[in-house]
Amino acid sequence: MSIRRVSCFAIGVCMFGAITVSPPGSVGEAAAPAKAYFAGGCFWCMEEAFEKVEGVVSVVSGYMGGTLSDPTYEQVSAGRTGHAEAVEISYDPSKVSYQKLLEAFWRNIDPVTPNAQFCDHGSQYRSAVFYGTEEEQRLSEESKSTIERSKRFSAPIVTQLVKASTFYPAEEYHQDYYKKNPVRYKYYKFSCGRAQRLEALWGKS
């Protein structure tokens, strides 16, 4: 059992619901926050990364890309549902663009390791962009192509670019885990080697 799963079981399980994908707005709209969906391994870590981005209103940990309705953490982490740990980002498109979210996403994942992120292994920890519109698909494909053309990595980029499906929020004890359980979270993140691997991939900037 991984360090992370031990931490999870120590907290307990809460109830959760399901919501469906809402198409995002465009920059400059004075509407409700737009939504974006990404998977980058541990959703605790992706919450922390995206909540630091100016213009992001909230980040919810959850599951996307599988076949089972209302999956539990235990089912997803066992790799039996096809879901990836993912985050739902609510953002103000007048303050941050989808392109900027893509930049933040790439900078916080390992795009060259299939079905794993750092110390977490299995398809449930795969990296993915779950686009909701044709424009998001175009932008995500362009961002991936830009990285490929840069020749930064000798290995191919294996991050999936796939159509968004139903997003299931994770149990309440997972939400804002890095804030509610800072000691456990920091121990997990350090032991997982996330920061070290990101620096090796992307540099210190």
Side-chain angles (χ1 to χ4, degrees), residues 6 15 26 31 36-37 51 64 75 78 89 111 113 119 124-126 131 134 147 154-156 159 168 170 183 187 202:
V6 170
M15 296 297 292
S26 59
Y37 299 87
E51 286 187 349
M64 183 175 275
Q75 290 170 325
I89 300 165
T113 303
C119 68
Q124 65 271 32
Y125 299 112
R126 65 190 182 274
Y131 55 82
E134 290 183 359
I147 297 171
S154 57
T159 298
Y168 296 96
V183 175
Y187 175 72
W202 301 101

Short mmCIF file of all heavy atoms in Angstrom, two decimals, residues 6 15 26 31 36-37 51 64 75 78 89 111 113 119 124-126 131 134 147 154-156 159 168 170 183 187 202:
data_model
loop_
_atom_site.label_atom_id
_atom_site.label_comp_id
_atom_site.label_asym_id
_atom_site.label_seq_id
_atom_site.Cartn_x
_atom_site.Cartn_y
_atom_site.Cartn_z
N VAL A 6 -2.20 5.10 2.55
CA VAL A 6 -2.22 5.02 4.01
C VAL A 6 -2.79 6.30 4.58
O VAL A 6 -3.61 6.30 5.49
CB VAL A 6 -0.79 4.76 4.56
CG1 VAL A 6 -0.79 4.93 6.07
CG2 VAL A 6 -0.33 3.37 4.19
N MET A 15 -19.38 11.18 1.75
CA MET A 15 -20.25 11.03 0.60
C MET A 15 -19.89 12.04 -0.47
O MET A 15 -19.29 13.08 -0.20
CB MET A 15 -21.71 11.28 1.02
CG MET A 15 -22.22 10.27 2.02
SD MET A 15 -22.26 8.60 1.37
CE MET A 15 -23.56 8.79 0.12
N SER A 26 -15.29 32.27 -23.04
CA SER A 26 -14.10 32.83 -23.65
C SER A 26 -13.62 34.00 -22.83
O SER A 26 -14.34 34.56 -22.01
CB SER A 26 -14.41 33.28 -25.08
OG SER A 26 -15.44 34.24 -25.07
N ALA A 31 -19.52 36.27 -17.37
CA ALA A 31 -20.46 35.23 -17.02
C ALA A 31 -19.96 34.45 -15.81
O ALA A 31 -18.98 34.82 -15.17
CB ALA A 31 -20.67 34.31 -18.22
N ALA A 36 -12.54 23.82 -16.53
CA ALA A 36 -11.50 23.11 -17.26
C ALA A 36 -11.15 21.86 -16.47
O ALA A 36 -11.26 21.84 -15.23
CB ALA A 36 -10.26 23.98 -17.45
N TYR A 37 -10.72 20.81 -17.18
CA TYR A 37 -10.47 19.51 -16.54
C TYR A 37 -9.13 18.95 -16.96
O TYR A 37 -8.82 18.86 -18.16
CB TYR A 37 -11.59 18.53 -16.91
CG TYR A 37 -12.96 18.99 -16.46
CD1 TYR A 37 -13.73 19.82 -17.26
CD2 TYR A 37 -13.46 18.62 -15.21
CE1 TYR A 37 -14.97 20.26 -16.85
CE2 TYR A 37 -14.70 19.05 -14.79
CZ TYR A 37 -15.45 19.87 -15.61
OH TYR A 37 -16.69 20.32 -15.18
N GLU A 51 -4.49 26.15 -7.71
CA GLU A 51 -5.03 27.20 -6.84
C GLU A 51 -4.07 28.37 -6.69
O GLU A 51 -4.46 29.43 -6.20
CB GLU A 51 -5.41 26.61 -5.48
CG GLU A 51 -6.69 25.76 -5.56
CD GLU A 51 -7.20 25.29 -4.21
OE1 GLU A 51 -6.48 25.43 -3.21
OE2 GLU A 51 -8.33 24.75 -4.16
N MET A 64 -12.37 11.22 -13.63
CA MET A 64 -12.93 11.38 -14.97
C MET A 64 -12.30 10.34 -15.90
O MET A 64 -11.18 9.88 -15.68
CB MET A 64 -12.66 12.79 -15.51
CG MET A 64 -13.27 13.06 -16.89
SD MET A 64 -13.09 14.78 -17.47
CE MET A 64 -14.52 15.53 -16.68
N GLN A 75 -12.14 2.19 -5.45
CA GLN A 75 -12.30 1.57 -6.76
C GLN A 75 -11.37 2.19 -7.80
O GLN A 75 -10.73 1.48 -8.57
CB GLN A 75 -13.76 1.72 -7.22
CG GLN A 75 -14.75 0.88 -6.44
CD GLN A 75 -16.19 1.24 -6.75
OE1 GLN A 75 -16.53 2.41 -7.01
NE2 GLN A 75 -17.05 0.24 -6.76
N ALA A 78 -7.66 1.37 -7.20
CA ALA A 78 -7.34 -0.03 -7.52
C ALA A 78 -7.24 -0.25 -9.03
O ALA A 78 -6.86 -1.33 -9.48
CB ALA A 78 -8.40 -0.96 -6.93
N ILE A 89 -11.41 22.68 -12.62
CA ILE A 89 -10.97 24.03 -12.34
C ILE A 89 -12.07 25.01 -12.75
O ILE A 89 -12.49 25.03 -13.90
CB ILE A 89 -9.67 24.35 -13.09
CG1 ILE A 89 -8.57 23.37 -12.67
CG2 ILE A 89 -9.23 25.79 -12.84
CD1 ILE A 89 -7.39 23.36 -13.59
N PRO A 111 5.18 14.54 -18.61
CA PRO A 111 4.43 14.18 -19.81
C PRO A 111 5.01 13.01 -20.60
O PRO A 111 4.44 12.62 -21.61
CB PRO A 111 4.50 15.46 -20.64
CG PRO A 111 5.84 16.02 -20.29
CD PRO A 111 6.06 15.69 -18.84
N THR A 113 6.06 9.89 -19.15
CA THR A 113 5.94 8.59 -18.49
C THR A 113 4.51 8.10 -18.58
O THR A 113 3.60 8.74 -18.05
CB THR A 113 6.36 8.67 -17.01
OG1 THR A 113 7.70 9.16 -16.92
CG2 THR A 113 6.28 7.30 -16.35
N CYS A 119 5.70 8.87 -8.03
CA CYS A 119 5.73 7.56 -7.35
C CYS A 119 4.43 6.79 -7.51
O CYS A 119 4.33 5.63 -7.10
CB CYS A 119 6.03 7.75 -5.86
SG CYS A 119 4.71 8.58 -4.93
N GLN A 124 -4.83 5.00 -13.49
CA GLN A 124 -5.59 5.99 -12.72
C GLN A 124 -4.75 7.24 -12.43
O GLN A 124 -5.28 8.28 -12.03
CB GLN A 124 -6.13 5.40 -11.43
CG GLN A 124 -5.09 4.97 -10.41
CD GLN A 124 -4.62 3.53 -10.60
OE1 GLN A 124 -4.58 3.03 -11.72
NE2 GLN A 124 -4.29 2.87 -9.51
N TYR A 125 -3.43 7.15 -12.63
CA TYR A 125 -2.53 8.28 -12.42
C TYR A 125 -1.97 8.82 -13.73
O TYR A 125 -0.99 9.55 -13.74
CB TYR A 125 -1.39 7.88 -11.48
CG TYR A 125 -1.87 7.46 -10.11
CD1 TYR A 125 -1.76 6.13 -9.69
CD2 TYR A 125 -2.46 8.37 -9.25
CE1 TYR A 125 -2.22 5.74 -8.44
CE2 TYR A 125 -2.92 7.99 -8.00
CZ TYR A 125 -2.79 6.67 -7.60
OH TYR A 125 -3.24 6.29 -6.37
N ARG A 126 -2.60 8.47 -14.85
CA ARG A 126 -2.14 8.98 -16.13
C ARG A 126 -2.36 10.48 -16.23
O ARG A 126 -3.22 11.04 -15.55
CB ARG A 126 -2.88 8.28 -17.28
CG ARG A 126 -4.38 8.56 -17.35
CD ARG A 126 -5.05 7.64 -18.35
NE ARG A 126 -6.50 7.88 -18.52
CZ ARG A 126 -7.43 7.33 -17.75
NH1 ARG A 126 -7.09 6.52 -16.76
NH2 ARG A 126 -8.72 7.57 -17.99
N TYR A 131 -10.59 17.98 -22.78
CA TYR A 131 -11.13 19.19 -23.40
C TYR A 131 -12.66 19.10 -23.54
O TYR A 131 -13.22 18.03 -23.76
CB TYR A 131 -10.49 19.44 -24.76
CG TYR A 131 -10.59 18.30 -25.75
CD1 TYR A 131 -11.75 18.11 -26.51
CD2 TYR A 131 -9.53 17.43 -25.94
CE1 TYR A 131 -11.85 17.06 -27.41
CE2 TYR A 131 -9.61 16.38 -26.84
CZ TYR A 131 -10.77 16.20 -27.58
OH TYR A 131 -10.87 15.16 -28.47
N GLU A 134 -14.33 22.27 -29.10
CA GLU A 134 -13.39 22.17 -30.20
C GLU A 134 -12.25 23.17 -30.04
O GLU A 134 -11.10 22.88 -30.40
CB GLU A 134 -14.11 22.42 -31.53
CG GLU A 134 -15.06 21.30 -31.93
CD GLU A 134 -15.70 21.54 -33.29
OE1 GLU A 134 -15.41 22.59 -33.91
OE2 GLU A 134 -16.48 20.66 -33.73
N ILE A 147 5.50 21.95 -27.41
CA ILE A 147 6.49 21.28 -26.56
C ILE A 147 7.27 20.25 -27.38
O ILE A 147 8.50 20.13 -27.25
CB ILE A 147 5.80 20.60 -25.36
CG1 ILE A 147 5.13 21.65 -24.48
CG2 ILE A 147 6.83 19.81 -24.54
CD1 ILE A 147 4.26 21.08 -23.40
N SER A 154 13.65 13.84 -24.95
CA SER A 154 14.06 12.83 -25.93
C SER A 154 12.99 11.76 -26.10
O SER A 154 12.89 11.13 -27.15
CB SER A 154 15.38 12.19 -25.49
OG SER A 154 15.25 11.61 -24.19
N ALA A 155 12.18 11.57 -25.08
CA ALA A 155 11.09 10.58 -25.14
C ALA A 155 9.83 11.27 -25.65
O ALA A 155 9.65 12.47 -25.49
CB ALA A 155 10.85 9.97 -23.76
N PRO A 156 8.91 10.50 -26.26
CA PRO A 156 7.67 11.10 -26.76
C PRO A 156 6.73 11.52 -25.62
O PRO A 156 6.74 10.94 -24.53
CB PRO A 156 7.04 9.97 -27.58
CG PRO A 156 7.61 8.71 -27.00
CD PRO A 156 9.00 9.06 -26.59
N THR A 159 1.03 12.18 -22.71
CA THR A 159 -0.16 12.77 -22.09
C THR A 159 -1.34 12.70 -23.05
O THR A 159 -1.21 13.07 -24.22
CB THR A 159 0.11 14.24 -21.72
OG1 THR A 159 1.17 14.28 -20.76
CG2 THR A 159 -1.14 14.90 -21.15
N TYR A 168 -16.72 13.23 -11.57
CA TYR A 168 -17.25 12.84 -10.26
C TYR A 168 -16.37 13.42 -9.17
O TYR A 168 -15.19 13.03 -9.04
CB TYR A 168 -17.30 11.32 -10.12
CG TYR A 168 -18.23 10.64 -11.10
CD1 TYR A 168 -17.76 10.12 -12.30
CD2 TYR A 168 -19.59 10.54 -10.83
CE1 TYR A 168 -18.62 9.50 -13.20
CE2 TYR A 168 -20.46 9.92 -11.72
CZ TYR A 168 -19.96 9.41 -12.91
OH TYR A 168 -20.82 8.81 -13.81
N ALA A 170 -14.42 13.84 -5.85
CA ALA A 170 -13.92 12.85 -4.89
C ALA A 170 -14.54 13.10 -3.52
O ALA A 170 -15.18 14.13 -3.27
CB ALA A 170 -12.40 12.94 -4.80
N VAL A 183 0.99 18.39 7.11
CA VAL A 183 2.14 17.55 7.45
C VAL A 183 2.13 16.26 6.64
O VAL A 183 3.13 15.87 6.03
CB VAL A 183 2.17 17.23 8.97
CG1 VAL A 183 3.29 16.24 9.28
CG2 VAL A 183 2.35 18.52 9.77
N TYR A 187 4.79 15.31 3.55
CA TYR A 187 5.55 14.06 3.62
C TYR A 187 5.33 13.23 2.37
O TYR A 187 6.27 12.70 1.77
CB TYR A 187 5.14 13.26 4.86
CG TYR A 187 5.81 11.90 4.94
CD1 TYR A 187 7.17 11.80 5.25
CD2 TYR A 187 5.10 10.74 4.68
CE1 TYR A 187 7.80 10.56 5.30
CE2 TYR A 187 5.71 9.50 4.73
CZ TYR A 187 7.06 9.42 5.05
OH TYR A 187 7.68 8.19 5.08
N TRP A 202 11.63 20.27 -16.21
CA TRP A 202 11.31 21.62 -16.65
C TRP A 202 12.29 22.70 -16.22
O TRP A 202 12.20 23.84 -16.66
CB TRP A 202 9.91 22.00 -16.16
CG TRP A 202 8.83 21.09 -16.65
CD1 TRP A 202 8.23 20.07 -15.96
CD2 TRP A 202 8.22 21.09 -17.95
NE1 TRP A 202 7.29 19.45 -16.74
CE2 TRP A 202 7.25 20.05 -17.97
CE3 TRP A 202 8.38 21.89 -19.09
CZ2 TRP A 202 6.47 19.80 -19.08
CZ3 TRP A 202 7.59 21.62 -20.20
CH2 TRP A 202 6.65 20.58 -20.20
#
